[in-house]
Amino acid sequence: MKIVDAKVVVTSPGRNFVTLKLTTDEGLTGLGDATLNGRELAVVSYLTGHVAPLLIGLDPHRIEDTWQSLYRGAYWRRGPVTMAAIAAVDVALWDIKAKAAGLPLYQLLGGASRERVRTYGHANGRDIPELLDSVRARLAEGYPAVRIQSGIPGLKAVYGVSDTDTAGTPVLHQQARPLVEDWDTEAYLRHMPAVFDAVRAEFGAELPLLHDAHHRLTPIQAARLGKDLEPYRPFWLEDCTPAESQEALRLVRRSTTTPLAIGEVFNTVHDYQTLITEQLIDYVRSAVTHFGGVTPLRKLFDFAAQYQIKSAVHGPEDISPVGMAAAVHLDLAVHNFGIQEYSGHSPLTREVFRHSYTFTDGYLHPGEAPGIGVELDEELAAAHPYAPAYLPVNRLHDGTVHDW
Protein backbone atom coordinates (compact mmCIF):
# COMPACT_ATOMS: atom_id res chain seq x y z
CA MET A 1 0.00 0.00 0.00
CA LYS A 2 1.26 3.51 -0.88
CA ILE A 3 0.14 7.07 -0.22
CA VAL A 4 -0.93 8.65 -3.51
CA ASP A 5 -2.46 11.95 -2.36
CA ALA A 6 -2.06 14.41 0.52
CA LYS A 7 -4.63 17.19 0.64
CA VAL A 8 -4.91 20.06 3.12
CA VAL A 9 -8.43 21.36 3.80
CA VAL A 10 -9.04 24.66 5.60
CA THR A 11 -12.57 25.38 6.75
CA SER A 12 -14.29 27.73 9.20
CA PRO A 13 -17.71 26.47 10.30
CA GLY A 14 -17.75 29.05 13.11
CA ARG A 15 -14.01 28.76 13.78
CA ASN A 16 -10.99 27.72 11.74
CA PHE A 17 -9.87 24.12 11.34
CA VAL A 18 -7.00 22.65 9.32
CA THR A 19 -7.34 19.02 8.20
CA LEU A 20 -4.92 16.74 6.36
CA LYS A 21 -6.49 14.02 4.21
CA LEU A 22 -4.25 11.18 3.02
CA THR A 23 -5.36 8.73 0.33
CA THR A 24 -3.77 5.39 -0.55
CA ASP A 25 -3.62 3.45 -3.80
CA GLU A 26 -6.12 1.01 -2.28
CA GLY A 27 -8.68 3.74 -1.74
CA LEU A 28 -8.30 4.08 2.03
CA THR A 29 -8.30 7.60 3.45
CA GLY A 30 -7.07 8.98 6.75
CA LEU A 31 -7.71 12.32 8.44
CA GLY A 32 -5.47 14.31 10.78
CA ASP A 33 -6.10 17.57 12.66
CA ALA A 34 -3.49 20.33 12.13
CA THR A 35 -5.39 23.24 13.68
CA LEU A 36 -3.20 25.79 15.47
CA ASN A 37 -5.44 28.38 17.09
CA GLY A 38 -4.71 31.83 15.60
CA ARG A 39 -1.78 30.60 13.47
CA GLU A 40 -3.60 28.17 11.18
CA LEU A 41 -2.11 29.37 7.90
CA ALA A 42 1.44 28.82 9.13
CA VAL A 43 0.67 25.11 9.50
CA VAL A 44 -1.09 25.04 6.12
CA SER A 45 2.07 26.39 4.50
CA TYR A 46 4.28 23.93 6.38
CA LEU A 47 2.12 21.01 5.28
CA THR A 48 1.58 21.97 1.65
CA GLY A 49 5.06 23.30 0.97
CA HIS A 50 7.22 20.91 2.94
CA VAL A 51 5.47 17.84 4.31
CA ALA A 52 2.84 16.71 1.81
CA PRO A 53 5.32 16.19 -1.07
CA LEU A 54 7.42 13.91 1.15
CA LEU A 55 4.48 11.62 1.87
CA ILE A 56 3.68 10.59 -1.69
CA GLY A 57 4.80 7.01 -2.31
CA LEU A 58 5.36 6.14 1.36
CA ASP A 59 3.96 3.02 3.00
CA PRO A 60 1.21 4.33 5.37
CA HIS A 61 1.76 1.44 7.76
CA ARG A 62 5.25 2.71 8.70
CA ILE A 63 3.95 5.19 11.27
CA GLU A 64 6.91 5.32 13.66
CA ASP A 65 9.43 5.57 10.83
CA THR A 66 7.48 8.36 9.13
CA TRP A 67 7.13 10.26 12.42
CA GLN A 68 10.86 10.09 13.14
CA SER A 69 11.69 11.10 9.57
CA LEU A 70 9.49 14.21 9.73
CA TYR A 71 10.72 15.18 13.20
CA ARG A 72 14.44 14.59 12.65
CA GLY A 73 14.74 15.12 8.92
CA ALA A 74 13.89 18.82 8.96
CA TYR A 75 16.86 19.55 11.27
CA TRP A 76 14.73 22.31 12.89
CA ARG A 77 12.82 20.39 15.54
CA ARG A 78 9.88 21.02 17.85
CA GLY A 79 7.71 24.12 17.96
CA PRO A 80 3.92 24.34 17.56
CA VAL A 81 3.84 24.66 13.76
CA THR A 82 6.10 21.67 13.16
CA MET A 83 4.39 19.48 15.75
CA ALA A 84 0.86 20.32 14.57
CA ALA A 85 1.87 19.34 11.03
CA ILE A 86 3.46 16.08 12.21
CA ALA A 87 0.40 15.37 14.37
CA ALA A 88 -1.86 15.61 11.34
CA VAL A 89 0.27 13.07 9.46
CA ASP A 90 0.50 10.75 12.46
CA VAL A 91 -3.25 10.65 13.16
CA ALA A 92 -4.07 10.24 9.46
CA LEU A 93 -1.71 7.24 9.29
CA TRP A 94 -3.26 5.68 12.39
CA ASP A 95 -6.69 6.25 10.83
CA ILE A 96 -5.60 4.39 7.69
CA LYS A 97 -3.96 1.55 9.63
CA ALA A 98 -7.05 0.99 11.78
CA LYS A 99 -9.33 1.09 8.75
CA ALA A 100 -7.11 -1.46 6.99
CA ALA A 101 -7.46 -3.69 10.05
CA GLY A 102 -11.21 -3.11 10.19
CA LEU A 103 -10.92 -1.97 13.83
CA PRO A 104 -11.47 1.21 15.84
CA LEU A 105 -8.16 2.86 16.68
CA TYR A 106 -8.30 2.08 20.40
CA GLN A 107 -8.10 -1.64 19.62
CA LEU A 108 -4.73 -1.10 17.92
CA LEU A 109 -3.54 0.75 21.05
CA GLY A 110 -4.06 -2.31 23.24
CA GLY A 111 -7.82 -2.30 23.60
CA ALA A 112 -10.05 -0.59 26.14
CA SER A 113 -8.82 -0.04 29.71
CA ARG A 114 -12.22 1.33 30.78
CA GLU A 115 -15.82 1.33 29.60
CA ARG A 116 -16.06 5.08 28.97
CA VAL A 117 -14.12 8.34 29.28
CA ARG A 118 -14.89 10.80 32.07
CA THR A 119 -15.07 14.47 31.05
CA TYR A 120 -15.28 17.92 32.54
CA GLY A 121 -17.16 20.90 31.13
CA HIS A 122 -16.65 24.66 31.27
CA ALA A 123 -18.74 26.90 33.52
CA ASN A 124 -18.20 30.65 33.66
CA GLY A 125 -19.91 33.89 34.58
CA ARG A 126 -19.26 37.59 34.66
CA ASP A 127 -20.15 37.45 38.33
CA ILE A 128 -20.78 34.70 40.88
CA PRO A 129 -24.55 34.37 40.35
CA GLU A 130 -24.01 33.99 36.62
CA LEU A 131 -21.30 31.41 37.27
CA LEU A 132 -23.64 29.40 39.51
CA ASP A 133 -26.20 29.35 36.70
CA SER A 134 -23.52 28.12 34.32
CA VAL A 135 -22.53 25.32 36.71
CA ARG A 136 -26.19 24.25 36.89
CA ALA A 137 -26.29 24.15 33.09
CA ARG A 138 -23.21 21.94 32.86
CA LEU A 139 -24.58 19.58 35.49
CA ALA A 140 -27.89 19.39 33.61
CA GLU A 141 -25.89 18.31 30.55
CA GLY A 142 -24.47 15.44 32.58
CA TYR A 143 -20.92 16.60 33.24
CA PRO A 144 -19.46 14.85 36.31
CA ALA A 145 -16.85 17.60 36.83
CA VAL A 146 -16.81 21.32 36.06
CA ARG A 147 -14.13 23.92 35.41
CA ILE A 148 -15.13 27.25 36.99
CA GLN A 149 -14.01 30.65 35.68
CA SER A 150 -15.30 34.00 36.91
CA GLY A 151 -15.16 37.63 35.99
CA ILE A 152 -13.03 39.79 38.27
CA PRO A 153 -14.46 42.88 40.01
CA GLY A 154 -13.07 46.01 38.39
CA LEU A 155 -12.08 44.34 35.10
CA LYS A 156 -14.19 44.88 32.00
CA ALA A 157 -13.43 41.48 30.45
CA VAL A 158 -11.57 38.32 31.42
CA TYR A 159 -10.49 35.64 28.95
CA GLY A 160 -12.73 32.59 29.10
CA VAL A 161 -15.58 34.49 30.76
CA SER A 162 -17.08 37.43 28.91
CA ASP A 163 -16.55 36.18 25.37
CA THR A 164 -17.91 32.64 25.28
CA ASP A 165 -20.30 30.58 23.24
CA THR A 166 -23.38 28.85 24.65
CA ALA A 167 -21.25 25.94 25.90
CA GLY A 168 -19.00 28.27 27.89
CA THR A 169 -16.09 27.96 25.44
CA PRO A 170 -13.88 31.03 24.78
CA VAL A 171 -14.68 32.52 21.39
CA LEU A 172 -11.92 33.07 18.84
CA HIS A 173 -12.55 36.54 17.43
CA GLN A 174 -12.83 36.50 13.65
CA GLN A 175 -11.17 39.83 12.95
CA ALA A 176 -7.87 41.18 11.69
CA ARG A 177 -6.35 42.00 15.10
CA PRO A 178 -6.78 40.50 18.59
CA LEU A 179 -8.92 42.19 21.22
CA VAL A 180 -7.09 43.78 24.14
CA GLU A 181 -8.26 42.94 27.68
CA ASP A 182 -7.10 44.53 30.92
CA TRP A 183 -5.75 42.54 33.85
CA ASP A 184 -5.14 42.91 37.61
CA THR A 185 -3.42 39.95 39.28
CA GLU A 186 -4.06 41.07 42.86
CA ALA A 187 -7.78 41.52 42.20
CA TYR A 188 -7.85 38.02 40.71
CA LEU A 189 -6.03 36.47 43.68
CA ARG A 190 -8.42 38.16 46.13
CA HIS A 191 -11.51 37.06 44.23
CA MET A 192 -10.93 33.38 43.42
CA PRO A 193 -11.25 31.98 46.97
CA ALA A 194 -14.65 33.70 47.21
CA VAL A 195 -15.64 32.10 43.92
CA PHE A 196 -14.77 28.62 45.17
CA ASP A 197 -16.51 29.31 48.47
CA ALA A 198 -19.74 30.25 46.68
CA VAL A 199 -19.68 27.25 44.37
CA ARG A 200 -18.96 24.83 47.21
CA ALA A 201 -21.75 26.38 49.30
CA GLU A 202 -24.21 25.89 46.44
CA PHE A 203 -23.15 22.48 45.10
CA GLY A 204 -21.45 20.75 48.01
CA ALA A 205 -18.07 19.15 48.62
CA GLU A 206 -18.44 16.19 46.25
CA LEU A 207 -18.49 17.99 42.88
CA PRO A 208 -14.99 17.98 41.30
CA LEU A 209 -14.08 21.62 40.60
CA LEU A 210 -11.24 22.66 38.28
CA HIS A 211 -9.79 26.10 37.62
CA ASP A 212 -7.49 27.47 34.91
CA ALA A 213 -5.17 30.38 35.72
CA HIS A 214 -4.16 30.63 32.02
CA HIS A 215 -0.45 31.11 32.81
CA ARG A 216 -1.15 34.49 34.43
CA LEU A 217 0.80 34.09 37.69
CA THR A 218 4.38 34.20 38.85
CA PRO A 219 5.51 31.14 40.84
CA ILE A 220 5.03 32.88 44.20
CA GLN A 221 1.56 34.10 43.17
CA ALA A 222 0.66 30.61 41.99
CA ALA A 223 1.83 29.17 45.30
CA ARG A 224 -0.35 31.66 47.16
CA LEU A 225 -3.43 30.82 45.09
CA GLY A 226 -2.89 27.08 45.44
CA LYS A 227 -2.66 27.42 49.22
CA ASP A 228 -5.67 29.74 49.45
CA LEU A 229 -7.78 27.22 47.49
CA GLU A 230 -6.79 24.17 49.58
CA PRO A 231 -9.86 24.36 51.88
CA TYR A 232 -12.09 23.91 48.80
CA ARG A 233 -10.25 20.79 47.59
CA PRO A 234 -9.95 21.64 43.86
CA PHE A 235 -9.62 18.74 41.44
CA TRP A 236 -6.75 20.79 40.02
CA LEU A 237 -5.27 24.23 39.43
CA GLU A 238 -4.34 24.42 35.76
CA ASP A 239 -1.55 26.39 34.09
CA CYS A 240 -0.86 28.35 37.26
CA THR A 241 2.40 29.78 35.93
CA PRO A 242 4.27 29.63 32.61
CA ALA A 243 6.13 26.34 32.79
CA GLU A 244 8.72 26.92 30.10
CA SER A 245 10.90 27.30 33.17
CA GLN A 246 10.08 23.90 34.58
CA GLU A 247 12.04 24.57 37.76
CA ALA A 248 9.54 27.31 38.68
CA LEU A 249 7.04 24.62 39.65
CA ARG A 250 9.30 23.51 42.52
CA LEU A 251 8.25 26.57 44.50
CA VAL A 252 4.57 25.98 43.79
CA ARG A 253 4.79 22.29 44.68
CA ARG A 254 6.55 22.96 47.99
CA SER A 255 3.90 25.49 48.98
CA THR A 256 0.57 23.77 48.29
CA THR A 257 -1.13 20.38 48.14
CA THR A 258 -3.56 21.59 45.47
CA PRO A 259 -3.12 19.23 42.46
CA LEU A 260 -1.46 20.85 39.45
CA ALA A 261 -2.16 20.37 35.74
CA ILE A 262 0.04 21.76 32.99
CA GLY A 263 1.00 21.28 29.37
CA GLU A 264 -1.57 22.39 26.80
CA VAL A 265 1.03 24.67 25.16
CA PHE A 266 3.77 22.04 25.28
CA ASN A 267 4.86 20.31 22.07
CA THR A 268 7.29 17.55 23.09
CA VAL A 269 8.26 15.34 26.01
CA HIS A 270 11.31 17.57 26.61
CA ASP A 271 8.96 20.29 27.90
CA TYR A 272 7.89 17.90 30.67
CA GLN A 273 11.11 16.17 31.71
CA THR A 274 11.75 17.99 34.98
CA LEU A 275 8.04 18.31 35.78
CA ILE A 276 7.55 14.56 35.53
CA THR A 277 10.75 13.18 37.01
CA GLU A 278 10.49 15.47 40.05
CA GLN A 279 6.72 14.86 40.31
CA LEU A 280 5.99 18.59 40.22
CA ILE A 281 2.60 18.11 38.53
CA ASP A 282 -0.30 15.66 38.73
CA TYR A 283 -1.75 15.81 35.18
CA VAL A 284 -0.21 16.25 31.72
CA ARG A 285 -2.41 18.39 29.46
CA SER A 286 -1.03 18.18 25.92
CA ALA A 287 -3.35 17.69 22.94
CA VAL A 288 -2.93 15.05 20.24
CA THR A 289 -3.11 17.89 17.70
CA HIS A 290 -0.24 19.94 19.16
CA PHE A 291 2.05 17.23 20.49
CA GLY A 292 2.85 15.45 17.25
CA GLY A 293 -0.03 12.96 17.26
CA VAL A 294 -1.01 9.71 18.93
CA THR A 295 2.48 8.19 18.68
CA PRO A 296 4.37 10.62 20.97
CA LEU A 297 1.44 11.34 23.27
CA ARG A 298 1.10 7.65 24.11
CA LYS A 299 4.82 7.64 24.96
CA LEU A 300 4.35 10.70 27.18
CA PHE A 301 1.55 9.00 29.10
CA ASP A 302 3.66 5.89 29.61
CA PHE A 303 6.52 8.08 30.88
CA ALA A 304 4.20 9.99 33.23
CA ALA A 305 2.72 6.74 34.55
CA GLN A 306 6.06 5.79 36.07
CA TYR A 307 5.66 8.79 38.38
CA GLN A 308 1.95 8.34 39.17
CA ILE A 309 0.96 11.25 36.90
CA LYS A 310 -2.24 10.99 34.89
CA SER A 311 -3.44 12.08 31.45
CA ALA A 312 -5.80 15.01 30.90
CA VAL A 313 -5.83 15.77 27.16
CA HIS A 314 -6.53 19.37 26.15
CA GLY A 315 -9.95 19.42 24.49
CA PRO A 316 -11.21 22.92 23.62
CA GLU A 317 -13.52 23.65 20.71
CA ASP A 318 -10.56 24.71 18.54
CA ILE A 319 -9.42 21.08 18.48
CA SER A 320 -11.45 19.72 15.57
CA PRO A 321 -13.58 16.56 15.87
CA VAL A 322 -10.69 14.77 14.16
CA GLY A 323 -8.31 15.66 16.98
CA MET A 324 -10.97 15.01 19.60
CA ALA A 325 -11.73 11.56 18.19
CA ALA A 326 -8.05 10.60 18.30
CA ALA A 327 -7.86 11.78 21.92
CA VAL A 328 -10.89 9.73 23.00
CA HIS A 329 -9.43 6.56 21.44
CA LEU A 330 -6.22 7.18 23.38
CA ASP A 331 -8.14 7.98 26.58
CA LEU A 332 -9.98 4.68 26.39
CA ALA A 333 -6.77 2.70 25.95
CA VAL A 334 -4.20 4.15 28.38
CA HIS A 335 -4.19 2.86 31.94
CA ASN A 336 -3.25 6.16 33.62
CA PHE A 337 -6.16 8.15 32.21
CA GLY A 338 -7.31 11.00 34.45
CA ILE A 339 -9.99 13.12 32.80
CA GLN A 340 -10.82 14.56 29.37
CA GLU A 341 -11.67 18.20 28.71
CA TYR A 342 -14.70 18.36 26.43
CA SER A 343 -16.26 21.56 25.13
CA GLY A 344 -18.26 20.00 22.33
CA HIS A 345 -18.63 21.52 18.88
CA SER A 346 -21.25 23.60 17.11
CA PRO A 347 -23.95 21.84 15.05
CA LEU A 348 -22.36 23.20 11.87
CA THR A 349 -18.93 21.83 12.83
CA ARG A 350 -20.51 18.44 13.48
CA GLU A 351 -22.03 18.54 9.98
CA VAL A 352 -18.66 19.25 8.38
CA PHE A 353 -16.94 16.59 10.51
CA ARG A 354 -19.31 13.65 10.98
CA HIS A 355 -18.02 11.57 13.88
CA SER A 356 -18.85 8.32 15.62
CA TYR A 357 -17.74 9.28 19.13
CA THR A 358 -20.61 9.93 21.53
CA PHE A 359 -21.16 12.05 24.65
CA THR A 360 -23.63 10.47 27.09
CA ASP A 361 -24.25 11.42 30.73
CA GLY A 362 -20.92 13.24 30.91
CA TYR A 363 -18.84 10.44 29.39
CA LEU A 364 -17.32 9.97 25.94
CA HIS A 365 -16.87 6.80 23.90
CA PRO A 366 -15.03 6.68 20.54
CA GLY A 367 -17.46 4.24 18.92
CA GLU A 368 -16.71 1.10 16.98
CA ALA A 369 -16.27 2.47 13.45
CA PRO A 370 -12.96 1.43 11.83
CA GLY A 371 -10.24 4.06 12.15
CA ILE A 372 -10.81 7.15 14.26
CA GLY A 373 -14.44 7.33 13.19
CA VAL A 374 -14.57 10.76 11.51
CA GLU A 375 -15.55 11.67 7.95
CA LEU A 376 -14.99 15.10 6.38
CA ASP A 377 -17.68 16.62 4.14
CA GLU A 378 -15.36 18.48 1.77
CA GLU A 379 -18.16 20.18 -0.18
CA LEU A 380 -19.66 21.64 2.99
CA ALA A 381 -16.19 22.50 4.28
CA ALA A 382 -15.50 24.52 1.12
CA ALA A 383 -18.64 26.59 1.77
CA HIS A 384 -17.05 27.98 4.94
CA PRO A 385 -13.69 29.56 4.06
CA TYR A 386 -10.95 30.66 6.44
CA ALA A 387 -11.45 33.91 8.35
CA PRO A 388 -8.68 35.68 10.34
CA ALA A 389 -9.18 35.02 14.06
CA TYR A 390 -7.19 35.62 17.23
CA LEU A 391 -7.37 35.09 20.96
CA PRO A 392 -7.24 38.28 23.08
CA VAL A 393 -4.08 40.01 24.30
CA ASN A 394 -3.91 41.04 27.96
CA ARG A 395 -2.46 44.31 29.24
CA LEU A 396 -1.89 45.59 32.75
CA HIS A 397 -3.50 48.85 33.87
CA ASP A 398 -0.44 50.84 32.74
CA GLY A 399 -0.76 49.40 29.22
CA THR A 400 2.09 46.88 29.46
CA VAL A 401 1.50 43.60 27.65
CA HIS A 402 1.43 40.94 30.36
CA ASP A 403 4.59 38.84 30.14
CA TRP A 404 3.16 35.51 31.31
Side-chain angles (χ1 to χ4, degrees):
M1 190 188 301
K2 301 295 182 184
I3 298 171
V4 295
D5 188 54
K7 182 178 182 180
V8 180
V9 177
V10 184
T11 184
S12 186
R15 62 171 55 236
N16 296 316
F17 298 110
V18 180
T19 307
L20 175 67
K21 181 179 180 180
L22 300 182
T23 304
T24 74
D25 56 357
E26 296 184 10
L28 290 177
T29 61
L31 299 178
D33 181 20
T35 306
L36 186 61
N37 191 340
R39 295 294 184 270
E40 298 88 356
L41 298 185
V43 189
V44 172
S45 178
Y46 195 100
L47 281 169
T48 57
H50 303 288
V51 174
L54 303 177
L55 302 175
I56 305 304
L58 295 185
D59 179 352
H61 287 304
R62 298 183 62 168
I63 297 175
E64 180 71 28
D65 183 61
T66 299
W67 195 96
Q68 296 294 342
S69 177
L70 293 175
Y71 180 76
R72 300 174 187 279
Y75 184 76
W76 309 107
R77 303 180 185 179
R78 306 167 66 182
V81 174
T82 294
M83 300 312 288
I86 293 176
V89 176
D90 184 79
V91 172
L93 294 180
W94 277 111
D95 194 16
I96 290 171
K97 182 181 282 288
K99 286 177 179 175
L103 294 170
L105 174 58
Y106 76 84
Q107 294 288 13
L108 272 63
L109 301 176
S113 290
R114 56 197 49 81
E115 298 302 318
R116 54 186 184 166
V117 172
R118 178 174 62 160
T119 70
Y120 70 89
H122 294 179
N124 69 87
R126 288 167 292 184
D127 53 29
I128 290 176
E130 193 172 278
L131 170 61
L132 298 179
D133 287 341
S134 184
V135 173
R136 292 186 191 96
R138 300 292 84 77
L139 295 179
E141 293 165 354
Y143 283 101
V146 181
R147 191 190 80 172
I148 56 173
Q149 308 293 133
S150 171
I152 309 301
L155 300 186
K156 296 188 292 294
V158 175
Y159 171 65
V161 176
S162 58
D163 278 324
T164 59
D165 60 21
T166 56
T169 304
V171 169
L172 196 66
H173 294 280
Q174 293 190 313
Q175 57 188 41
R177 299 182 67 86
L179 293 179
V180 176
E181 296 179 350
D182 57 350
W183 181 251
D184 184 335
T185 301
E186 287 302 314
Y188 165 77
L189 291 173
R190 289 192 300 269
H191 186 58
M192 284 315 301
V195 171
F196 269 81
D197 188 68
V199 176
R200 281 282 178 238
E202 182 73 15
F203 298 101
E206 294 79 17
L207 178 63
L209 297 179
L210 303 82
H211 177 68
D212 190 347
H214 291 115
H215 311 278
R216 290 180 172 121
L217 307 177
T218 65
I220 194 67
Q221 292 167 343
R224 170 182 157 192
L225 179 60
K227 191 152 189 70
D228 287 347
L229 295 182
E230 283 180 12
Y232 308 105
R233 303 292 293 269
F235 185 92
W236 77 36
L237 174 60
E238 178 183 347
D239 289 341
C240 59
T241 190
E244 289 89 343
S245 173
Q246 298 180 43
E247 296 80 2
L249 269 293
R250 292 173 182 153
L251 172 62
V252 183
R253 192 57 138 186
R254 286 196 301 267
S255 304
T256 179
T257 59
T258 294
L260 303 175
I262 271 180
E264 69 183 56
V265 300
F266 289 173
N267 308 127
T268 73
V269 68
H270 306 290
D271 300 314
Y272 283 106
Q273 189 167 5
T274 298
L275 298 175
I276 290 176
T277 58
E278 296 188 19
Q279 295 181 280
L280 300 179
I281 58 175
D282 302 278
Y283 297 89
V284 292
R285 293 275 294 126
S286 291
V288 173
T289 301
H290 303 137
F291 201 75
V294 169
T295 298
L297 197 57
R298 175 62 183 269
K299 294 175 182 178
L300 173 68
F301 293 163
D302 287 343
F303 176 36
Q306 309 311 307
Y307 298 88
Q308 299 180 312
I309 297 170
K310 294 184 177 182
S311 74
V313 176
H314 186 45
E317 197 179 9
D318 53 72
I319 299 293
S320 87
V322 174
M324 178 58 64
V328 178
H329 281 278
L330 192 55
D331 292 336
L332 199 69
V334 298
H335 81 277
N336 59 325
F337 169 76
I339 200 166
Q340 172 64 57
E341 180 181 22
Y342 182 63
S343 301
H345 290 96
S346 70
L348 182 55
T349 297
R350 294 195 299 270
E351 289 181 36
V352 173
F353 298 92
R354 298 185 300 273
H355 57 78
S356 65
Y357 65 80
T358 55
F359 177 70
T360 306
D361 297 328
Y363 290 80
L364 287 163
H365 192 280
E368 300 299 330
I372 62 171
V374 183
E375 298 297 331
L376 173 64
D377 186 329
E378 294 188 53
E379 183 176 345
L380 185 56
H384 301 281
Y386 167 83
Y390 297 95
L391 292 171
V393 171
N394 286 263
R395 290 184 180 272
L396 303 179
H397 288 320
D398 65 0
T400 304
V401 175
H402 203 298
D403 61 345
W404 293 318

